[in-house]
Amino acid sequence: MPLLDHEKHLLYELFGIPYEPIAVETGEYGMPITQAILDPIQAPATRLKAAISSIDADETKVVRVREILAAYSDLSLDPSPIERNGYSLRPGKNIRLYRRLLFTYTGLISDINTHGNRLPLG
């Protein structure tokens, strides 16, 4: 069974890929700061569409991606740190982990360390 539309939308959300090829950065009161046709968005969007097709073609991939997206969905709406009973949950760290796990299935890397031009390898 292929990914559900909801799961496909979660992939776009998790990687921060907009559906629209035009993006406008807004400031206070919704006033535009910059407006540009963002050609760089096209490559990740095209890659994600191709990855979704590849995932849908293999039931084993669908099952694993579905597990990762379910975990992401559980904490995606409240990314604030939680500390209770000696445990510390840092959703931002987990979201980066989910992106790295999904790299295997999507080919998208989103956690590039720009302070040294290094790619995370593990």
Side-chain angles (χ1 to χ4, degrees):
M1 174 187 227
L3 291 173
L4 303 173
D5 286 342
H6 171 74
E7 293 164 330
K8 293 174 186 177
H9 295 306
L10 284 175
L11 283 170
Y12 277 89
E13 178 184 316
L14 182 60
F15 286 103
I17 297 173
Y19 286 100
E20 298 297 321
I22 297 175
V24 177
E25 183 179 1
T26 59
E28 192 170 350
Y29 307 111
M31 300 297 293
I33 295 173
T34 59
Q35 180 176 0
I37 297 175
L38 299 174
D39 288 334
I41 288 175
Q42 292 302 317
T46 302
R47 176 68 220 135
L48 184 55
K49 287 176 188 173
I52 289 171
S53 295
S54 173
I55 292 165
D56 284 345
D58 184 337
E59 186 62 29
T60 305
K61 289 180 184 178
V62 170
V63 169
R64 181 60 180 149
V65 169
R66 191 167 277 153
E67 290 171 349
I68 296 167
L69 291 176
Y72 166 68
S73 186
D74 286 345
L75 57 81
S76 64
L77 295 179
D78 185 10
S80 59
I82 299 168
E83 295 186 24
R84 189 178 303 141
N85 299 330
Y87 292 98
S88 178
L89 173 65
R90 304 267 183 236
K93 185 175 181 179
N94 289 352
I95 289 171
R96 286 190 300 275
L97 171 65
Y98 301 145
R99 288 179 183 155
R100 282 192 295 260
L101 291 172
L102 287 167
F103 167 72
T104 305
Y105 305 99
T106 64
L108 292 167
I109 298 173
S110 62
D111 292 332
I112 296 176
N113 179 351
T114 57
H115 302 296
N117 298 326
R118 292 177 288 170
L119 292 175
L121 298 177

